[in-house]
Amino acid sequence: KNKTRLEQRVESFIRKCMHRSWSPEDITKIFIANCFGKPLSTFYAFAIDCYREYLKIMKTKWKQDFEMILADAINHLHEVGWDIDFRIHKERDQKMLRGHIQKLKYIIIDEYQDTSQLFFELVQTIRIICVGDNWQLINSFAGSEMRFFKNFSEYYPWAKQLSLRTTYRCTPIIVEAANVLMERPWELISWVEWKSWFVRLIKQEDFYKDNPEDQKYWNALIKTVLEKIIKPKYQEKDKNESPQFRILSRINHDLDNF
């Protein structure tokens, strides 16, 4: 079912606590040590109660979520070290590979910018190759922290770091426009002229004020942006010119029926 905003916030709060290995008692101490305003204080008190009840229910029903499985794996590794056999199922030829984890030369971890405290504790004692992009952090709501990526050399002072500066996933013009966004995001609250293009950073919530129901529909948002932002900009330039624009989406499904 669709979750309310309060349910989403409480779930995110619980996930962050678990990924930081904070118990309800730990977060209560942090809560007491900080002076929050009344709205935040009310939310934190409610969320801590929900967190405590959630742990109680999971324990009573003998159930585990992903964070609990990670925590158990970490505890097991502390007890036995990396003396562990592994099995990998190959779907292509339906074969099962077996081996010992200590015989692996490296383990590659993709999207390392989305590492949390819990995940860091799991992998810090093995030989790893990490791949990440600090502009693609998307899981902070679930406990990911940029410090593990940003301060990588502090956690792994012996590691060698390489920068991947060439991409083959996009055309040069898209890459160059993205670089403008990353270099000067604070300037993009209004139009910035770049070559023969204009670039602007748009916040979705700015376009839900007239009709909050539009938030449910991606196509409605695109049409609103075209009508209120792009069309007026081109009319300023040349009223007789037909505007040309590019719409980038993460998946094709976003643009269905548009």
Side-chain angles (χ1 to χ4, degrees):
K1 70 172 185 178
N2 294 329
K3 297 176 182 177
T4 65
R5 179 173 295 183
L6 176 60
E7 289 173 332
Q8 293 174 353
R9 294 287 176 84
V10 170
E11 181 179 356
S12 176
F13 173 85
I14 293 175
R15 293 283 169 259
K16 285 183 177 180
C17 289
M18 298 184 75
H19 273 280
R20 288 170 172 80
S21 301
W22 289 343
S23 66
E25 290 70 30
D26 293 331
I27 192 63
T28 298
K29 292 177 182 177
I30 297 173
F31 171 64
I32 294 175
N34 291 273
C35 298
F36 299 108
K38 186 175 181 180
L40 276 179
S41 296
T42 302
F43 170 77
Y44 281 130
F46 173 72
I48 291 171
D49 286 342
C50 291
Y51 182 24
R52 186 178 288 108
E53 187 64 22
Y54 173 73
L55 295 178
K56 180 180 177 181
I57 292 173
M58 295 295 280
K59 183 177 181 179
T60 301
K61 294 187 176 182
W62 290 81
K63 290 186 176 182
Q64 287 187 312
D65 58 18
F66 180 67
E67 289 75 17
M68 292 174 180
I69 294 173
L70 279 181
D72 278 356
I74 293 169
N75 292 333
H76 182 68
L77 290 175
H78 287 165
E79 294 175 2
V80 303
W82 284 94
D83 186 16
I84 301 173
D85 293 322
F86 68 85
R87 292 180 297 174
I88 300 176
H89 181 253
K90 296 176 63 177
E91 294 185 4
R92 181 177 298 179
D93 50 16
Q94 297 297 312
K95 291 183 178 180
M96 183 73 72
L97 297 179
R98 299 175 183 269
H100 194 282
I101 200 166
Q102 289 183 345
K103 292 183 179 180
L104 297 177
K105 187 173 182 180
Y106 293 104
I107 295 178
I108 298 178
I109 302 176
D110 198 9
E111 306 294 355
Y112 190 75
Q113 74 279 352
D114 283 317
T115 295
S116 66
Q117 176 66 40
L118 203 58
F119 187 74
F120 173 75
E121 292 177 10
L122 179 67
V123 303
Q124 65 176 328
T125 58
I126 58 176
R127 296 183 296 272
I128 56 176
I129 296 177
C130 301
V131 182
D133 182 352
N134 61 331
W135 274 87
Q136 295 190 45
L137 177 66
I138 60 174
N139 285 329
S140 58
F141 70 93
S144 298
E145 299 180 73
M146 180 58 73
R147 62 187 174 95
F148 297 110
F149 182 90
K150 190 175 182 180
N151 304 324
F152 187 83
S153 59
E154 295 181 15
Y155 296 111
Y156 303 97
W158 58 87
K160 183 177 181 179
Q161 297 188 52
L162 301 173
S163 297
L164 303 178
R165 301 186 179 277
T166 304
T167 178
Y168 300 94
R169 299 177 68 181
C170 305
T171 59
I173 195 169
I174 293 176
V175 174
E176 292 173 12
N179 287 336
V180 173
L181 169 64
M182 291 187 286
E183 290 170 2
R184 298 178 291 169
W186 58 88
E187 295 181 11
L188 299 181
I189 55 174
S190 58
W191 288 102
V192 172
E193 189 168 1
W194 171 73
K195 295 187 176 182
S196 59
W197 294 74
F198 290 91
V199 182
R200 180 172 176 179
L201 182 64
I202 296 173
K203 294 182 178 180
Q204 294 185 19
E205 58 265 25
D206 292 341
F207 301 94
Y208 300 140
K209 296 175 182 177
D210 297 338
N211 184 9
E213 289 298 312
D214 284 352
Q215 187 170 2
K216 299 178 181 178
Y217 304 100
W218 170 251
N219 292 342
L221 170 63
I222 294 295
K223 291 177 182 178
T224 302
V225 170
L226 291 175
E227 193 69 28
K228 294 185 178 181
I229 297 296
I230 296 178
K231 184 177 178 181
K233 181 61 183 177
Y234 275 91
Q235 286 179 339
E236 289 177 12
K237 187 176 180 181
D238 188 346
K239 292 184 178 180
N240 297 318
E241 182 181 353
S242 298
Q244 297 182 7
F245 53 89
R246 301 291 184 268
I247 299 178
L248 306 180
S249 83
R250 184 166 184 173
I251 56 176
N252 292 334
H253 179 68
D254 286 340
L255 300 180
D256 285 351
N257 303 319
F258 177 70

